[in-house]
PDB file of all heavy atoms in Angstrom:
ATOM      1  N   TYR A 223       9.131  -2.227 -30.431  1.00  0.00           N
ATOM      2  CA  TYR A 223      10.556  -2.378 -31.016  1.00  0.00           C
ATOM      3  C   TYR A 223      11.360  -3.484 -30.359  1.00  0.00           C
ATOM      4  O   TYR A 223      12.292  -4.041 -31.121  1.00  0.00           O
ATOM      5  CB  TYR A 223      11.315  -1.087 -30.827  1.00  0.00           C
ATOM      6  CG  TYR A 223      10.638  -0.020 -31.642  1.00  0.00           C
ATOM      7  CD1 TYR A 223       9.908   1.087 -31.108  1.00  0.00           C
ATOM      8  CD2 TYR A 223      10.813   0.042 -33.150  1.00  0.00           C
ATOM      9  CE1 TYR A 223       9.318   1.948 -31.879  1.00  0.00           C
ATOM     10  CE2 TYR A 223      10.428   1.032 -33.872  1.00  0.00           C
ATOM     11  CZ  TYR A 223       9.544   1.914 -33.206  1.00  0.00           C
ATOM     12  OH  TYR A 223       8.921   2.933 -33.947  1.00  0.00           O
ATOM     13  N   LEU A 224      11.176  -3.912 -29.196  1.00  0.00           N
ATOM     14  CA  LEU A 224      11.785  -5.108 -28.513  1.00  0.00           C
ATOM     15  C   LEU A 224      10.815  -6.121 -27.846  1.00  0.00           C
ATOM     16  O   LEU A 224      10.826  -6.207 -26.721  1.00  0.00           O
ATOM     17  CB  LEU A 224      12.838  -4.494 -27.451  1.00  0.00           C
ATOM     18  CG  LEU A 224      13.997  -3.703 -27.957  1.00  0.00           C
ATOM     19  CD1 LEU A 224      14.501  -2.827 -26.918  1.00  0.00           C
ATOM     20  CD2 LEU A 224      15.111  -4.567 -28.577  1.00  0.00           C
ATOM     21  N   PRO A 225       9.919  -6.675 -28.656  1.00  0.00           N
ATOM     22  CA  PRO A 225       8.996  -7.541 -28.139  1.00  0.00           C
ATOM     23  C   PRO A 225       9.745  -8.654 -27.276  1.00  0.00           C
ATOM     24  O   PRO A 225      10.716  -9.126 -27.787  1.00  0.00           O
ATOM     25  CB  PRO A 225       8.177  -8.018 -29.198  1.00  0.00           C
ATOM     26  CG  PRO A 225       9.049  -7.805 -30.510  1.00  0.00           C
ATOM     27  CD  PRO A 225       9.853  -6.651 -30.194  1.00  0.00           C
ATOM     28  N   GLY A 226       9.199  -9.178 -26.179  1.00  0.00           N
ATOM     29  CA  GLY A 226       9.872 -10.166 -25.456  1.00  0.00           C
ATOM     30  C   GLY A 226      10.623  -9.630 -24.266  1.00  0.00           C
ATOM     31  O   GLY A 226      10.366 -10.148 -23.159  1.00  0.00           O
ATOM     32  N   LEU A 227      11.424  -8.611 -24.575  1.00  0.00           N
ATOM     33  CA  LEU A 227      12.232  -7.997 -23.505  1.00  0.00           C
ATOM     34  C   LEU A 227      11.520  -6.812 -23.043  1.00  0.00           C
ATOM     35  O   LEU A 227      12.015  -6.078 -22.100  1.00  0.00           O
ATOM     36  CB  LEU A 227      13.575  -7.832 -24.006  1.00  0.00           C
ATOM     37  CG  LEU A 227      14.476  -8.950 -24.185  1.00  0.00           C
ATOM     38  CD1 LEU A 227      15.739  -8.518 -24.906  1.00  0.00           C
ATOM     39  CD2 LEU A 227      14.782  -9.620 -22.846  1.00  0.00           C
ATOM     40  N   ASP A 228      10.406  -6.360 -23.559  1.00  0.00           N
ATOM     41  CA  ASP A 228       9.716  -5.018 -23.337  1.00  0.00           C
ATOM     42  C   ASP A 228       9.439  -4.734 -21.806  1.00  0.00           C
ATOM     43  O   ASP A 228       9.788  -3.740 -21.355  1.00  0.00           O
ATOM     44  CB  ASP A 228       8.612  -4.800 -24.272  1.00  0.00           C
ATOM     45  CG  ASP A 228       7.527  -6.019 -24.085  1.00  0.00           C
ATOM     46  OD1 ASP A 228       7.894  -7.101 -23.925  1.00  0.00           O
ATOM     47  OD2 ASP A 228       6.306  -5.772 -24.031  1.00  0.00           O
ATOM     48  N   LEU A 229       8.879  -5.796 -21.222  1.00  0.00           N
ATOM     49  CA  LEU A 229       8.492  -5.574 -19.817  1.00  0.00           C
ATOM     50  C   LEU A 229       9.682  -5.281 -18.871  1.00  0.00           C
ATOM     51  O   LEU A 229       9.704  -4.461 -18.013  1.00  0.00           O
ATOM     52  CB  LEU A 229       7.686  -6.647 -19.320  1.00  0.00           C
ATOM     53  CG  LEU A 229       6.097  -6.734 -19.718  1.00  0.00           C
ATOM     54  CD1 LEU A 229       5.488  -7.907 -19.044  1.00  0.00           C
ATOM     55  CD2 LEU A 229       5.408  -5.416 -19.530  1.00  0.00           C
ATOM     56  N   LEU A 230      10.651  -6.188 -19.051  1.00  0.00           N
ATOM     57  CA  LEU A 230      11.915  -6.038 -18.368  1.00  0.00           C
ATOM     58  C   LEU A 230      12.409  -4.711 -18.410  1.00  0.00           C
ATOM     59  O   LEU A 230      12.922  -4.064 -17.504  1.00  0.00           O
ATOM     60  CB  LEU A 230      12.733  -7.200 -18.648  1.00  0.00           C
ATOM     61  CG  LEU A 230      13.891  -7.386 -17.733  1.00  0.00           C
ATOM     62  CD1 LEU A 230      13.499  -7.813 -16.325  1.00  0.00           C
ATOM     63  CD2 LEU A 230      14.813  -8.609 -18.216  1.00  0.00           C
ATOM     64  N   LEU A 231      12.580  -4.279 -19.785  1.00  0.00           N
ATOM     65  CA  LEU A 231      13.364  -3.031 -20.035  1.00  0.00           C
ATOM     66  C   LEU A 231      12.518  -1.851 -19.562  1.00  0.00           C
ATOM     67  O   LEU A 231      12.965  -0.854 -19.142  1.00  0.00           O
ATOM     68  CB  LEU A 231      13.604  -2.966 -21.498  1.00  0.00           C
ATOM     69  CG  LEU A 231      14.695  -3.829 -21.997  1.00  0.00           C
ATOM     70  CD1 LEU A 231      14.974  -3.788 -23.556  1.00  0.00           C
ATOM     71  CD2 LEU A 231      16.117  -3.587 -21.280  1.00  0.00           C
ATOM     72  N   THR A 232      11.173  -1.927 -19.740  1.00  0.00           N
ATOM     73  CA  THR A 232      10.318  -0.897 -19.213  1.00  0.00           C
ATOM     74  C   THR A 232      10.497  -0.588 -17.806  1.00  0.00           C
ATOM     75  O   THR A 232      10.632   0.427 -17.428  1.00  0.00           O
ATOM     76  CB  THR A 232       8.743  -1.198 -19.512  1.00  0.00           C
ATOM     77  OG1 THR A 232       8.608  -1.446 -20.877  1.00  0.00           O
ATOM     78  CG2 THR A 232       7.928  -0.098 -19.043  1.00  0.00           C
ATOM     79  N   GLY A 233      10.622  -1.718 -16.981  1.00  0.00           N
ATOM     80  CA  GLY A 233      10.833  -1.629 -15.599  1.00  0.00           C
ATOM     81  C   GLY A 233      12.151  -1.016 -15.279  1.00  0.00           C
ATOM     82  O   GLY A 233      12.217  -0.052 -14.445  1.00  0.00           O
ATOM     83  N   LEU A 234      13.254  -1.659 -15.874  1.00  0.00           N
ATOM     84  CA  LEU A 234      14.504  -1.107 -15.540  1.00  0.00           C
ATOM     85  C   LEU A 234      14.861   0.304 -16.009  1.00  0.00           C
ATOM     86  O   LEU A 234      15.163   1.134 -15.185  1.00  0.00           O
ATOM     87  CB  LEU A 234      15.532  -2.059 -16.115  1.00  0.00           C
ATOM     88  CG  LEU A 234      15.769  -3.432 -15.531  1.00  0.00           C
ATOM     89  CD1 LEU A 234      16.694  -4.311 -16.274  1.00  0.00           C
ATOM     90  CD2 LEU A 234      16.242  -3.266 -14.081  1.00  0.00           C
ATOM     91  N   ILE A 235      14.483   0.668 -17.261  1.00  0.00           N
ATOM     92  CA  ILE A 235      14.781   1.970 -17.685  1.00  0.00           C
ATOM     93  C   ILE A 235      13.816   2.981 -17.003  1.00  0.00           C
ATOM     94  O   ILE A 235      14.177   4.022 -16.450  1.00  0.00           O
ATOM     95  CB  ILE A 235      14.475   2.077 -19.251  1.00  0.00           C
ATOM     96  CG1 ILE A 235      15.497   1.214 -19.959  1.00  0.00           C
ATOM     97  CG2 ILE A 235      14.698   3.483 -19.638  1.00  0.00           C
ATOM     98  CD1 ILE A 235      15.336   0.920 -21.410  1.00  0.00           C
ATOM     99  N   GLY A 236      12.406   2.696 -17.055  1.00  0.00           N
ATOM    100  CA  GLY A 236      11.482   3.562 -16.512  1.00  0.00           C
ATOM    101  C   GLY A 236      11.737   3.788 -15.101  1.00  0.00           C
ATOM    102  O   GLY A 236      11.656   4.899 -14.567  1.00  0.00           O
ATOM    103  N   GLY A 237      11.937   2.732 -14.324  1.00  0.00           N
ATOM    104  CA  GLY A 237      12.042   2.736 -12.868  1.00  0.00           C
ATOM    105  C   GLY A 237      13.226   3.472 -12.459  1.00  0.00           C
ATOM    106  O   GLY A 237      13.145   4.260 -11.547  1.00  0.00           O
ATOM    107  N   THR A 238      14.351   3.209 -13.242  1.00  0.00           N
ATOM    108  CA  THR A 238      15.647   3.956 -12.799  1.00  0.00           C
ATOM    109  C   THR A 238      15.427   5.421 -13.026  1.00  0.00           C
ATOM    110  O   THR A 238      15.831   6.232 -12.220  1.00  0.00           O
ATOM    111  CB  THR A 238      16.785   3.320 -13.551  1.00  0.00           C
ATOM    112  OG1 THR A 238      16.746   1.976 -13.349  1.00  0.00           O
ATOM    113  CG2 THR A 238      18.071   3.942 -13.221  1.00  0.00           C
ATOM    114  N   LEU A 239      14.919   5.764 -14.185  1.00  0.00           N
ATOM    115  CA  LEU A 239      14.670   7.277 -14.496  1.00  0.00           C
ATOM    116  C   LEU A 239      13.732   7.840 -13.457  1.00  0.00           C
ATOM    117  O   LEU A 239      14.110   8.913 -12.871  1.00  0.00           O
ATOM    118  CB  LEU A 239      13.867   7.265 -15.906  1.00  0.00           C
ATOM    119  CG  LEU A 239      14.227   8.426 -16.790  1.00  0.00           C
ATOM    120  CD1 LEU A 239      15.787   8.570 -17.144  1.00  0.00           C
ATOM    121  CD2 LEU A 239      13.367   8.299 -18.031  1.00  0.00           C
ATOM    122  N   ALA A 240      12.666   7.187 -13.088  1.00  0.00           N
ATOM    123  CA  ALA A 240      11.781   7.674 -12.076  1.00  0.00           C
ATOM    124  C   ALA A 240      12.549   7.794 -10.692  1.00  0.00           C
ATOM    125  O   ALA A 240      12.197   8.772  -9.881  1.00  0.00           O
ATOM    126  CB  ALA A 240      10.568   6.789 -12.013  1.00  0.00           C
ATOM    127  N   TYR A 241      13.289   6.923 -10.360  1.00  0.00           N
ATOM    128  CA  TYR A 241      14.034   6.875  -9.154  1.00  0.00           C
ATOM    129  C   TYR A 241      14.907   8.162  -9.011  1.00  0.00           C
ATOM    130  O   TYR A 241      14.899   8.963  -8.114  1.00  0.00           O
ATOM    131  CB  TYR A 241      14.888   5.563  -8.994  1.00  0.00           C
ATOM    132  CG  TYR A 241      15.825   5.676  -7.854  1.00  0.00           C
ATOM    133  CD1 TYR A 241      15.459   5.570  -6.478  1.00  0.00           C
ATOM    134  CD2 TYR A 241      17.195   6.002  -8.156  1.00  0.00           C
ATOM    135  CE1 TYR A 241      16.421   5.737  -5.454  1.00  0.00           C
ATOM    136  CE2 TYR A 241      18.190   6.150  -7.108  1.00  0.00           C
ATOM    137  CZ  TYR A 241      17.735   6.039  -5.778  1.00  0.00           C
ATOM    138  OH  TYR A 241      18.693   6.086  -4.752  1.00  0.00           O
ATOM    139  N   PHE A 242      15.597   8.465 -10.162  1.00  0.00           N
ATOM    140  CA  PHE A 242      16.518   9.614 -10.043  1.00  0.00           C
ATOM    141  C   PHE A 242      15.724  10.938 -10.157  1.00  0.00           C
ATOM    142  O   PHE A 242      16.103  11.931  -9.457  1.00  0.00           O
ATOM    143  CB  PHE A 242      17.583   9.562 -11.199  1.00  0.00           C
ATOM    144  CG  PHE A 242      18.730   8.632 -10.991  1.00  0.00           C
ATOM    145  CD1 PHE A 242      18.749   7.363 -11.607  1.00  0.00           C
ATOM    146  CD2 PHE A 242      19.576   8.964 -10.012  1.00  0.00           C
ATOM    147  CE1 PHE A 242      19.814   6.536 -11.265  1.00  0.00           C
ATOM    148  CE2 PHE A 242      20.639   8.010  -9.573  1.00  0.00           C
ATOM    149  CZ  PHE A 242      20.772   6.843 -10.329  1.00  0.00           C
ATOM    150  N   ILE A 243      14.603  10.922 -10.863  1.00  0.00           N
ATOM    151  CA  ILE A 243      13.754  12.159 -10.855  1.00  0.00           C
ATOM    152  C   ILE A 243      13.238  12.401  -9.283  1.00  0.00           C
ATOM    153  O   ILE A 243      13.361  13.524  -8.730  1.00  0.00           O
ATOM    154  CB  ILE A 243      12.547  11.945 -11.747  1.00  0.00           C
ATOM    155  CG1 ILE A 243      13.003  11.972 -13.182  1.00  0.00           C
ATOM    156  CG2 ILE A 243      11.521  13.248 -11.555  1.00  0.00           C
ATOM    157  CD1 ILE A 243      11.959  11.665 -14.221  1.00  0.00           C
ATOM    158  N   GLY A 244      12.794  11.284  -8.666  1.00  0.00           N
ATOM    159  CA  GLY A 244      12.324  11.318  -7.392  1.00  0.00           C
ATOM    160  C   GLY A 244      13.458  11.850  -6.450  1.00  0.00           C
ATOM    161  O   GLY A 244      13.078  12.601  -5.487  1.00  0.00           O
ATOM    162  N   ARG A 245      14.576  11.305  -6.588  1.00  0.00           N
ATOM    163  CA  ARG A 245      15.700  11.685  -5.747  1.00  0.00           C
ATOM    164  C   ARG A 245      16.067  13.116  -5.843  1.00  0.00           C
ATOM    165  O   ARG A 245      16.382  13.834  -4.916  1.00  0.00           O
ATOM    166  CB  ARG A 245      16.954  10.802  -6.109  1.00  0.00           C
ATOM    167  CG  ARG A 245      17.818  10.465  -4.877  1.00  0.00           C
ATOM    168  CD  ARG A 245      18.894   9.558  -5.334  1.00  0.00           C
ATOM    169  NE  ARG A 245      20.171  10.058  -5.066  1.00  0.00           N
ATOM    170  CZ  ARG A 245      21.263   9.488  -5.011  1.00  0.00           C
ATOM    171  NH1 ARG A 245      21.131   8.074  -4.895  1.00  0.00           N
ATOM    172  NH2 ARG A 245      22.321   9.973  -4.908  1.00  0.00           N
ATOM    173  N   TRP A 246      16.059  13.555  -7.213  1.00  0.00           N
ATOM    174  CA  TRP A 246      16.378  15.085  -7.405  1.00  0.00           C
ATOM    175  C   TRP A 246      15.367  15.942  -6.759  1.00  0.00           C
ATOM    176  O   TRP A 246      15.604  16.847  -6.288  1.00  0.00           O
ATOM    177  CB  TRP A 246      16.469  15.125  -8.883  1.00  0.00           C
ATOM    178  CG  TRP A 246      16.619  16.579  -9.396  1.00  0.00           C
ATOM    179  CD1 TRP A 246      17.662  17.367  -9.270  1.00  0.00           C
ATOM    180  CD2 TRP A 246      15.503  17.289 -10.128  1.00  0.00           C
ATOM    181  NE1 TRP A 246      17.338  18.574  -9.767  1.00  0.00           N
ATOM    182  CE2 TRP A 246      16.160  18.492 -10.420  1.00  0.00           C
ATOM    183  CE3 TRP A 246      14.275  16.945 -10.616  1.00  0.00           C
ATOM    184  CZ2 TRP A 246      15.436  19.565 -11.066  1.00  0.00           C
ATOM    185  CZ3 TRP A 246      13.595  17.933 -11.288  1.00  0.00           C
ATOM    186  CH2 TRP A 246      14.160  19.228 -11.502  1.00  0.00           C
ATOM    187  N   ARG A 247      14.087  15.539  -6.752  1.00  0.00           N
ATOM    188  CA  ARG A 247      13.031  16.411  -6.265  1.00  0.00           C
ATOM    189  C   ARG A 247      12.985  16.365  -4.695  1.00  0.00           C
ATOM    190  O   ARG A 247      12.459  17.241  -4.135  1.00  0.00           O
ATOM    191  CB  ARG A 247      11.699  15.793  -6.793  1.00  0.00           C
ATOM    192  CG  ARG A 247      11.460  16.219  -8.315  1.00  0.00           C
ATOM    193  CD  ARG A 247      10.189  15.720  -8.750  1.00  0.00           C
ATOM    194  NE  ARG A 247       8.998  16.320  -8.178  1.00  0.00           N
ATOM    195  CZ  ARG A 247       8.319  17.264  -8.796  1.00  0.00           C
ATOM    196  NH1 ARG A 247       8.569  17.584 -10.007  1.00  0.00           N
ATOM    197  NH2 ARG A 247       7.341  17.804  -8.213  1.00  0.00           N
ATOM    198  N   ARG A 248      13.612  15.155  -4.196  1.00  0.00           N
ATOM    199  CA  ARG A 248      13.623  15.226  -2.744  1.00  0.00           C
ATOM    200  C   ARG A 248      14.633  16.312  -2.087  1.00  0.00           C
ATOM    201  O   ARG A 248      14.578  16.609  -0.924  1.00  0.00           O
ATOM    202  CB  ARG A 248      14.013  13.841  -2.197  1.00  0.00           C
ATOM    203  CG  ARG A 248      12.841  12.847  -1.904  1.00  0.00           C
ATOM    204  CD  ARG A 248      13.307  11.712  -1.199  1.00  0.00           C
ATOM    205  NE  ARG A 248      13.849  10.714  -2.283  1.00  0.00           N
ATOM    206  CZ  ARG A 248      14.781   9.825  -2.046  1.00  0.00           C
ATOM    207  NH1 ARG A 248      15.345   9.775  -0.795  1.00  0.00           N
ATOM    208  NH2 ARG A 248      15.221   9.067  -3.002  1.00  0.00           N
ATOM    209  N   LYS A 249      15.590  16.634  -3.001  1.00  0.00           N
ATOM    210  CA  LYS A 249      16.652  17.585  -2.494  1.00  0.00           C
ATOM    211  C   LYS A 249      16.092  18.994  -2.398  1.00  0.00           C
ATOM    212  O   LYS A 249      15.187  19.420  -3.131  1.00  0.00           O
ATOM    213  CB  LYS A 249      17.871  17.477  -3.282  1.00  0.00           C
ATOM    214  CG  LYS A 249      18.445  16.184  -2.960  1.00  0.00           C
ATOM    215  CD  LYS A 249      19.720  15.839  -3.692  1.00  0.00           C
ATOM    216  CE  LYS A 249      20.364  14.430  -3.341  1.00  0.00           C
ATOM    217  NZ  LYS A 249      21.190  13.868  -4.396  1.00  0.00           N
TER     218      LYS A 249
END
Side-chain angles (χ1 to χ4, degrees):
Chain A
Y223 294 104
L224 292 162
L227 292 172
D228 56 322
L229 283 186
L230 192 61
L231 290 175
T232 301
L234 285 175
I235 299 170
T238 305
L239 213 58
Y241 167 77
F242 280 110
I243 294 173
R245 210 172 118 153
W246 172 67
R247 289 177 66 104
R248 263 187 284 150
K249 283 177 183 159

